[in-house]
Amino acid sequence: MPNGANSVHKQLRTELENYIKSQYFGKSPILLSALNNHIDDEGLLYQRPFIESSPAYVTVQNGIETASLENWMKEYFLQLAKAGIGVFPSPFAHQILALEAATKGENLFVSTGTGSGKTECFMWPLLAKMAAEARNSKESWAKRGIRTIIMYPMNALVSDQVSRLRRMIGDPDNKFIKIFRNTCGTGVRRPQFGMYTGRTPYPGAQPSTEQDRKLERTLARMSFPQSDSEKEFFNRLLKEGKIPAKADMNQFLQGLHESKHIPSDDDAELITRFEMQQFCPDILITNYSFPKNVVSTYIPDAYGKILYEVDRGLDVAIGEYAPGRAIVVDKQTYQIGGFYYPGSERRHGQSLTPARAYTEDPNYVKPVISCPECGWFGLMEEKTKRCPFCGNSDLKITREMMRPWGFAPRNAESIPDVQLSEEYTAVQQPLYSTLPEAEEMKLAPGCKNIRIASRTNQRIIMLNKGSDDKGFMVCKDCGAAMPGDDVSVLNDINRPYKSKYARSKCRHSNCFNVNLGYDFITDMLVLEFTIDDRIIDVRRNDNPWLNRAAQSLAEALRLVASKKLDVEFTELVTGYRLRTGSEASYVDIYLYDSLSSGAGYAVSVADAIAELLTDMKELLSSCNCGSACSKCLKHYRNQYVHGMLDRFAALQLLKWGVDGINASPIKPETQIKMIMPLANILKQSGCEINSDGEIVATGRRNTKKVVVYPAMWVEPQATGTIYVSDAYIKYAKPYAVQKILDSVQ
């Protein structure tokens, strides 16, 4: 592209005009002539360029020489600058100020614009600190340990920093280590760095031979090019800092072959997490999702002093720490029995009613409305007048949602295990109540029944509705709480805190029934599967297929999206929503950022949706398990839905969305294999099963043909035939048995 503002502007105009002429070609000569005459008119496609002049950052000529540093350190940085490995002889003034302040032991906070060299403001002090320790405290430097943690919020920034360190500390010509040892002593240990993120090879408590061999092959292919084109590519990667900084890659590969993760003393970089766990790098580069929506469980001693504070994300805590659940802390068992925040009982006049400040706060307790026709819900604060799903205007107020401010043990004390009667409750699917506008939904590339929308600032609601959808009874005064919708569940429950000013038992006369939950805003990707009710069974209660397919496909989306983005899968949350419209039914598979307000992950994969759908198909079809396992869909974050995961059901839904293909009929021999395990049970009830090419059930009154069909189908109907869903045979055998008996007895 040419230099100069006007030249750049003209070039951009020309490229835009050429694009429009090629993409939107008209066949009429008159229209083409009019287009050519007016497309360059000012104000039609563009305005005149506006030029903003930004002041240049102040540089200091020969700044290293004039810096207020010890002579040996000044010479150290001058040598680094001369070698051209990350230090400049005439840097910006703020870079010199940062280096001078850091070497004097001052704390730094640097805020400047893009391209102003902020990285050098901490990288140069880092180099100075390591050199000072290696030169002046040799015994200390000889000990391995993490001396610096460089932390970024995204893997991409971490990778960029690793590339910089490879070019600087791990430069392939060994310029840095020669200067470092010339400054600090010929025998000093080499500084080492390592990246510890989700990309670090590889998870597990112990090295895996299979993964070791896979990493060995990858690094060998990367580090030892054969052809001229491979060598050219390798040199470019080396120059960009994309090749691991190992002193002897062959030696490292030999160690991997033997599943030994032991770095050489001359390695600048530690690659695997097993290396770093045994031999700490001096510089650790990592990422961190800063705490968001975090809540604690407070464990007191006999006098009410808090001994332990156990943190958890709210999305997990409203299930694992909900009233009625049990936790073990320091070998003591506690049953959660209320809500409490330390110090709330010490506020003036609140020793008996510390919970009231929260239960009367609209930020903690929010009214919820729902549509009785289709099940839509939303927060009352959004002032929705008509159901956005079905148009019903008769919306009802439902149970309020309460955000926990802190959990506490029942009666503020531990209990013997023999007295524990734990009540399990679970967090349901993440919920969202908005509906994308029609113009937002675009047909996914190459798909017949999938539309896609990437949306920012979407409200997500997480709920725990308690046992049997009864919610939780909460005392508005003291915070005591247990599952249920009747105040009697609090009869034997005391205050969840101890205070010398509240020795009497709370009467719980001011209680209300709520769901636990919270809402937050984030970015979201929605895949809308349009379902033809005439051929696909969309019943939610009588057919387990749809829920299993949707849940499994949602989990597959999370896993392939996190791999595509190169982030931990915990950075993404997924779910599904079933809804019925005026013309069809829909399954919404959605993905959103776990980071409150959004990190941009979910919406950033929208452009790669075709690739994601292919990856999802590969993930679901490549495994050899019976329904789902840890190699395909199961992981520790989705334990509560392990029983619902079914990769085959997910594949059926995916094929419908992409190609519009319904599930294929089940082969007769497969039907026989599926039905025969039920034969003995049916025989005991007076029903004989025979299979000679087809399945026949003979009872006291009738003889009928039995056909096992895919649960995805709307149930077929035919005289003299019993149709049994394969999902019933797999997951609900008593229903399958009863259906056959009811038809022939």
Side-chain angles (χ1 to χ4, degrees):
M1 185 172 285
N3 295 322
N6 286 326
S7 297
V8 171
H9 182 250
K10 184 176 180 180
Q11 178 73 14
L12 290 173
R13 285 167 47 183
T14 302
E15 291 180 0
L16 179 58
E17 291 171 11
N18 291 338
Y19 169 77
I20 291 175
K21 290 176 182 178
S22 62
Q23 292 293 319
Y24 304 98
F25 185 79
K27 295 182 179 180
S28 167
I30 297 176
L31 290 176
L32 288 174
S33 176
L35 175 65
N36 289 330
N37 289 335
H38 294 288
I39 195 171
D40 196 40
D41 290 351
E42 184 178 309
L44 183 63
L45 295 178
Y46 37 73
Q47 300 289 349
R48 292 180 180 179
F50 291 91
I51 301 174
E52 179 183 1
S53 178
S54 300
Y57 293 99
V58 178
T59 59
V60 181
Q61 293 298 320
N62 301 317
I64 297 295
E65 292 185 15
T66 60
S68 177
L69 301 172
E70 293 185 52
N71 289 334
W72 72 266
M73 186 174 290
K74 191 178 298 185
E75 180 61 26
Y76 168 57
F77 275 98
L78 285 172
Q79 289 184 51
L80 292 174
K82 185 177 180 179
I85 48 174
V87 177
F88 323 120
S90 298
F92 292 135
H94 58 269
Q95 293 172 332
I96 290 294
L97 288 173
L99 178 58
E100 291 175 337
T103 55
K104 294 175 184 177
E106 298 178 12
N107 296 321
L108 300 180
F109 184 94
V110 180
S111 177
T112 62
T114 301
S116 63
K118 289 187 290 295
T119 299
E120 285 72 22
C121 290
F122 69 81
M123 187 64 72
W124 293 359
L126 184 159
L127 296 176
K129 291 284 187 179
M130 289 195 301
E133 183 182 356
R135 183 177 185 274
N136 302 324
S137 305
K138 296 190 183 303
E139 290 185 4
S140 170
W141 178 252
K143 299 176 182 178
R144 291 182 177 272
I146 297 175
R147 289 164 168 81
T148 300
I149 296 178
I150 301 175
M151 191 174 295
Y152 284 102
M154 296 176 62
N155 272 341
L157 297 174
V158 173
S159 299
D160 179 69
Q161 196 60 63
V162 170
S163 297
R164 189 182 296 242
L165 285 168
R166 285 171 177 165
R167 296 193 299 269
M168 181 184 292
I169 295 177
D171 69 294
D173 297 326
N174 290 317
K175 296 177 183 178
F176 172 81
I177 190 58
K178 291 176 183 177
I179 295 170
F180 188 81
R181 286 175 174 159
N182 183 53
T183 301
C184 307
T186 55
V188 299
R189 180 177 58 80
R190 171 191 260 282
Q192 295 178 317
F193 64 90
M195 176 184 73
Y196 204 100
T197 69
R199 297 182 60 188
T200 303
Y202 30 76
Q206 298 292 333
S208 160
T209 300
E210 179 183 349
Q211 291 176 310
D212 281 339
R213 297 292 171 82
K214 182 178 179 181
L215 180 60
E216 178 191 356
R217 292 192 296 270
T218 300
L219 291 176
R221 194 165 57 248
M222 176 191 298
S223 304
F224 299 102
Q226 302 299 318
S227 65
D228 290 340
S229 60
E230 287 179 348
K231 291 176 182 177
E232 181 182 351
F233 184 60
F234 170 81
N235 289 329
R236 187 165 78 247
L237 292 179
L238 189 65
K239 185 177 180 180
E240 294 173 356
K242 300 296 176 62
I243 302 296
K246 287 290 185 182
D248 188 338
M249 184 59 77
N250 272 319
Q251 178 184 337
F252 179 70
L253 295 181
Q254 180 61 38
L256 279 180
H257 193 78
E258 300 170 0
S259 289
K260 295 178 181 178
H261 294 244
I262 302 176
S264 165
D265 289 339
D266 290 324
D267 286 345
E269 181 180 2
L270 308 187
I271 297 177
T272 70
R273 65 182 66 234
F274 305 106
E275 287 181 278
M276 284 178 269
Q277 288 167 359
Q278 298 176 80
F279 307 92
C280 294
D282 300 285
I283 306 168
L284 184 71
I285 310 101
T286 186
N287 56 6
Y288 183 67
S289 296
F290 292 94
K292 62 275 184 184
N293 293 324
V294 173
V295 69
S296 299
T297 295
Y298 300 100
I299 306 297
D301 63 12
Y303 304 99
K305 180 181 178 181
I306 301 302
L307 293 177
Y308 304 100
E309 180 178 339
V310 187
D311 293 332
R312 257 300 196 262
L314 257 175
D315 57 337
V316 176
I318 60 175
E320 290 189 359
Y321 295 166
R325 294 296 301 270
I327 65 172
V328 177
V329 180
D330 194 19
K331 301 180 182 179
Q332 297 292 315
T333 301
Y334 301 86
Q335 184 177 32
I336 304 301
F339 304 98
Y340 168 72
Y341 187 81
S344 58
E345 82 286 2
R346 293 196 293 270
R347 296 172 186 166
H348 180 68
Q350 294 186 8
S351 60
L352 302 180
T353 59
R356 197 177 294 175
Y358 301 96
T359 57
E360 295 180 354
D361 186 337
N363 293 306
Y364 283 89
V365 180
K366 296 186 177 184
V368 177
I369 55 175
S370 68
C371 174
E373 298 295 328
C374 68
W376 173 89
F377 70 95
L379 297 180
M380 187 178 290
E381 65 187 54
E382 295 175 331
K383 299 180 180 179
T384 305
K385 301 298 183 183
R386 185 179 295 274
C387 175
F389 286 6
C390 67
N392 176 35
S393 59
D394 186 21
L395 303 180
K396 304 295 185 182
I397 298 176
T398 61
R399 188 182 294 134
E400 293 176 306
M401 177 182 74
M402 190 187 80
R403 179 191 181 105
W405 52 93
F407 297 93
R410 174 176 175 170
N411 304 333
E413 57 191 25
S414 63
I415 60 174
D417 290 347
V418 294
Q419 295 181 11
L420 176 64
S421 178
E422 188 171 9
E423 297 189 47
Y424 290 92
T425 57
V427 183
Q428 66 178 73
Q429 281 285 330
L431 307 170
Y432 75 103
S433 59
T434 55
L435 188 67
E437 299 293 337
E439 59 269 17
E440 291 184 65
M441 302 297 295
K442 306 295 183 184
L443 192 66
C447 297
K448 292 186 176 181
N449 295 310
I450 303 177
R451 296 197 302 168
I452 182 174
S454 53
R455 314 186 71 198
T456 57
N457 299 322
Q458 296 303 293
R459 186 185 299 276
I460 302 291
I461 297 179
M462 302 289 291
L463 284 180
N464 181 346
K465 295 184 176 181
S467 302
D468 300 323
D469 196 17
K470 293 182 179 181
F472 299 83
M473 288 303 301
V474 180
C475 177
K476 290 186 175 182
D477 294 331
C478 73
M482 287 301 284
D485 56 4
D486 188 275
V487 70
S488 62
V489 299
L490 298 178
N491 284 348
D492 299 323
I493 309 298
N494 209 334
R495 302 177 189 275
Y497 63 94
K498 293 184 182 293
S499 170
K500 62 181 180 180
Y501 303 108
R503 299 185 182 277
S504 61
K505 183 178 179 180
C506 182
R507 297 183 179 180
H508 307 317
S509 56
N510 186 18
C511 297
F512 66 160
N513 183 230
V514 295
N515 291 325
L516 302 187
Y518 70 104
D519 64 292
F520 61 97
I521 303 297
T522 188
D523 299 335
M524 175 184 287
L525 174 73
V526 182
L527 299 182
E528 179 191 81
F529 287 69
T530 304
I531 305 298
D532 188 338
D533 301 353
R534 297 168 298 178
I535 61 176
I536 295 178
D537 191 347
V538 295
R539 293 175 299 165
R540 305 182 188 187
N541 298 324
D542 297 333
N543 183 8
W545 175 84
L546 188 57
N547 288 291
R548 297 179 69 87
Q551 179 70 65
S552 304
L553 199 58
E555 293 297 336
L557 174 61
R558 167 157 63 177
L559 292 171
V560 300
S562 62
K563 185 175 181 180
K564 172 70 176 176
L565 292 165
D566 195 17
V567 300
E568 293 278 1
F569 69 87
T570 55
E571 296 291 328
L572 299 170
V573 182
T574 190
Y576 70 93
R577 177 176 67 176
L578 310 177
R579 56 187 176 88
T580 302
S582 56
E583 299 179 357
S585 294
Y586 303 91
V587 176
D588 292 338
I589 307 292
Y590 53 88
L591 183 78
Y592 66 86
D593 303 333
S594 62
L595 186 68
S596 184
S597 298
Y601 292 143
V603 298
S604 67
V605 296
D607 293 336
I609 190 60
E611 181 181 347
L612 290 184
L613 293 173
T614 300
D615 292 344
M616 290 162 68
K617 182 178 179 181
E618 174 65 20
L619 173 68
L620 295 167
S621 59
S622 61
C623 196
N624 57 8
C625 64
S627 57
C629 68
S630 59
K631 293 181 180 179
C632 54
L633 294 177
K634 292 183 178 180
H635 51 78
Y636 66 93
R637 288 298 293 267
N638 64 11
Q639 294 179 60
Y640 66 100
V641 294
H642 278 185
M644 288 182 63
L645 298 180
D646 184 339
R647 63 188 182 90
F648 299 105
L651 266 174
Q652 291 173 336
L653 179 58
L654 183 59
K655 288 179 180 178
W656 167 259
V658 175
D659 302 317
I661 299 174
N662 199 0
S664 301
I666 301 173
K667 296 178 181 179
E669 57 269 26
T670 304
Q671 293 185 43
I672 293 171
K673 288 181 181 179
M674 296 179 72
I675 205 73
M676 290 313 293
L678 307 181
N680 287 336
I681 302 174
L682 290 166
K683 186 175 182 179
Q684 293 176 12
S685 300
C687 175
E688 291 284 346
I689 295 292
N690 296 293
S691 57
D692 185 12
E694 62 180 25
I695 306 168
V696 176
T698 303
R700 298 187 185 93
R701 292 186 294 109
N702 297 308
T703 296
K704 291 187 177 182
K705 179 181 176 181
V706 178
V707 174
V708 181
Y709 69 94
M712 183 179 182
W713 293 2
V714 169
E715 183 177 337
Q717 300 292 329
T719 303
T721 302
I722 307 169
Y723 288 95
V724 182
S725 159
D726 64 344
Y728 278 164
I729 295 178
K730 291 178 183 177
Y731 310 114
K733 287 182 174 60
Y735 289 95
V737 169
Q738 193 60 50
K739 183 167 187 178
I740 295 173
L741 291 176
D742 289 345
S743 300
V744 298
Q745 298 289 59

